[in-house]
Amino acid sequence: MLYFCLGLASAHASIRSEYEVKAAFLYNFTRFVTWSPAENNTTPLEVCVFGDDPFGDLLEPLRGRKSQGRELTLRYPDDVAGLTGCDVLFIGQSQSRSLASVLDIARREGMLTVSDLPDFAFKGGMVGYVKQGNVIRFEINLKAATDAGLTINSRLLELAVRVLR
């Protein structure tokens, strides 16, 4: 299923909007990451968008969907104090200047960090979107994920264009 979803997203990147593809990836990332300590399955999995929201209403279909038995919720924190409780954190372009401090908070809180900021994975983020021609792909910083207590499924690692260890 992952191969189909991610393959479909990659194959249609030129037809679908860039952020439709990125939203599909974001959902799939939640399916192949394990948070530690394992959360109770009745606790929602909170997806947060911090800073600029390039998705518009494209993430709305995620609201209420299940991932690993947990219902997805969406939240848009206004400041770093509002990041507490996020499980997945998409970091928008407007946060590039405060990236180091946001990543530090996310690591301490055990959040999966995702962004399309340039060189995001190299700067300590966990999953960085990269564009290769018209195709959206992603890089994974496995060390950053491990440091935050997250485990990334090997099937997702195989699909990354680069894995930083």
Side-chain angles (χ1 to χ4, degrees):
M1 179 68 173
L2 174 68
Y3 292 109
F4 175 74
C5 291
L6 294 180
L8 182 66
S10 295
H12 289 91
S14 59
I15 298 169
R16 299 170 69 189
S17 84
E18 177 178 340
Y19 283 93
E20 283 178 298
V21 173
K22 290 177 180 180
F25 275 149
L26 194 60
Y27 170 70
N28 280 302
F29 297 151
T30 69
R31 298 176 60 221
F32 294 91
V33 172
T34 304
W35 284 260
S36 179
E39 291 285 335
N40 180 335
N41 276 356
T42 61
T43 306
L45 186 80
E46 194 153 49
V47 177
C48 298
V49 176
F50 185 52
D52 295 347
D53 176 12
F55 295 100
D57 62 356
L58 294 172
L59 293 179
E60 280 304 313
L62 298 184
R63 194 183 299 272
R65 278 187 88 172
K66 296 267 186 177
S67 179
Q68 301 186 49
R70 298 172 66 189
E71 184 176 320
L72 295 177
T73 61
L74 295 176
R75 193 158 55 88
Y76 301 85
D78 293 327
D79 54 36
V80 292
L83 298 179
T84 302
C86 296
D87 296 297
V88 178
L89 180 63
F90 178 86
I91 302 169
Q93 298 283 335
S94 64
Q95 295 303 314
S96 63
R97 289 187 180 184
S98 58
L99 183 62
S101 62
V102 172
L103 289 175
D104 188 50
I105 291 166
R107 180 188 48 76
R108 286 194 316 260
E109 297 279 328
M111 298 175 204
L112 175 68
T113 56
V114 182
S115 185
D116 53 10
L117 285 165
D119 300 320
F120 182 68
F122 289 100
K123 294 176 181 173
M126 294 175 204
V127 181
Y129 293 116
V130 292
K131 203 168 181 181
Q132 295 181 329
N134 285 332
V135 179
I136 305 299
R137 302 288 306 272
F138 56 92
E139 301 172 325
I140 295 176
N141 184 327
L142 190 56
K143 182 181 179 340
T146 303
D147 289 350
L150 305 179
T151 304
I152 298 179
N153 186 294
S154 62
R155 291 180 289 173
L156 189 59
L157 294 173
E158 291 171 5
L159 294 173
V161 292
R162 182 175 299 121
V163 177
L164 306 173
R165 299 179 191 276

